[in-house]
Amino acid sequence: RKEVEQDPGPFNVPEGATVAFNCTYSNSASQSFFWYRQDCRKEPKLLMSVYSSGNEDGRFTAQLNRASQYISLLIRDSKLSDSATYLCVVNPSGGFQKLVFGTGTRLLVSP
Amino acid sequence: GAVVSQHPSRVICKSGTSVKIECRSLDFQATTMFWYRQFPKQSLMLMATSNEGSKATYEQGVEKDKFLINHASLTLSTLTVTSAHPEDSSFYICSVPDRTPNEQFFGPGTRLTVL
């Protein structure tokens, strides 16, 4: 079983739609969780950290369910510029930033 | 956050040659840097942790004699792919961890193609 699993998609949505991605992780002792965004042939960039209480940044909402070991990302009012691959990322040990990446979920927002 | 550069951005080489990739932290002294590899449609996989002034720590399955890492200063780590083969063709990305525990800053990546 992969340490971090995501639905690869692609998710095809129209502009303005709300879309949700889920991710599961296998190590119940994992400490930190993140969503990164990766554009085609580019490096990943941090979108947001994920906290147990849930957190929101503009149109983006992230939630963590430790009991079920899953992480979610909700994007409201999708924009064309949101088209990218969204990577679920876990720090399993809580140590010095040794990150484990999911394969990513591809989002395509169309006009 | 840290600004990270990589050079070259793209390299094409013949099988059997060695390729050196540089990762620089431009505004941040990094005692640790990470090297990742990403094959098409796959996740980033950590290859090794580069430690300034000491030996790198390699992940399981990564050959240390094939992927040589040197972290000679607080701003520069290099990855040398020795005797490259077509299966080494990949996207190599370095990262620098932030002072806070919640972020890594990635270089723009180096796309290696071995013919």
Side-chain angles (χ1 to χ4, degrees):
Chain A
R1 182 186 173 188
K2 291 181 182 177
E3 286 191 72
V4 180
E5 294 207 54
Q6 294 181 253
D7 180 345
F11 284 57
N12 290 285
V13 302
E15 267 186 297
T18 295
V19 61
F21 307 138
N22 290 327
C23 160
T24 58
Y25 60 95
S26 60
N27 186 341
S28 60
S30 296
Q31 300 292 316
S32 308
F33 309 89
F34 313 91
W35 284 101
Y36 275 73
R37 170 189 170 136
Q38 186 175 26
D39 292 290
C40 188
R41 304 175 82 87
K42 300 283 189 181
E43 76 276 20
K45 293 186 178 178
L46 180 66
L47 179 65
M48 58 197 306
S49 301
V50 187
Y51 303 115
S52 297
S53 55
N55 49 301
E56 186 174 311
D57 183 2
R59 299 181 291 110
F60 299 85
T61 301
Q63 293 199 315
L64 166 65
N65 184 320
R66 285 190 182 270
S68 302
Q69 294 178 215
Y70 84 77
I71 306 152
S72 65
L73 176 67
L74 182 77
I75 304 175
R76 292 180 298 277
D77 189 23
S78 299
K79 310 291 184 190
L80 294 176
S81 57
D82 293 334
S83 297
T85 297
Y86 291 84
L87 306 173
C88 177
V89 183
V90 174
N91 181 341
S93 65
F96 196 32
Q97 283 292 288
K98 199 167 181 178
L99 302 180
V100 179
F101 286 77
T103 53
T105 298
R106 191 165 173 219
L107 172 65
L108 299 172
V109 181
S110 54
Chain B
V3 178
V4 182
S5 70
Q6 272 185 249
H7 178 79
S9 58
R10 192 171 188 174
V11 58
I12 301 172
C13 69
K14 292 182 179 179
S15 186
T17 59
S18 294
V19 176
K20 180 187 281 188
I21 302 170
E22 292 185 349
C23 176
R24 291 184 185 274
S25 176
L26 300 180
D27 59 351
F28 184 81
Q29 292 188 326
T31 55
T32 299
M33 295 184 181
F34 297 99
W35 285 98
Y36 293 85
R37 179 169 56 181
Q38 186 178 31
F39 292 107
K41 297 189 178 181
Q42 294 189 24
S43 59
L44 273 77
M45 296 296 294
L46 181 65
M47 298 176 66
T49 302
S50 174
N51 304 299
E52 188 267 334
S54 64
K55 291 182 179 180
T57 306
Y58 289 83
E59 295 300 301
Q60 192 173 10
V62 178
E63 298 174 57
K64 63 179 181 181
D65 294 329
K66 179 169 180 63
F67 299 100
L68 302 179
I69 291 174
N70 185 300
H71 193 150
S73 77
L74 290 172
T75 59
L76 174 64
S77 174
T78 60
L79 168 69
T80 301
V81 183
T82 63
S83 187
H85 288 94
E87 57 265 30
D88 297 323
S89 298
S90 187
F91 191 45
Y92 291 86
I93 311 176
C94 68
S95 74
V96 172
D98 197 359
R99 292 185 187 88
T100 66
N102 287 330
E103 189 165 0
Q104 285 188 20
F105 298 97
F106 287 85
T110 296
R111 193 160 299 279
L112 171 63
T113 303
V114 185
L115 303 175

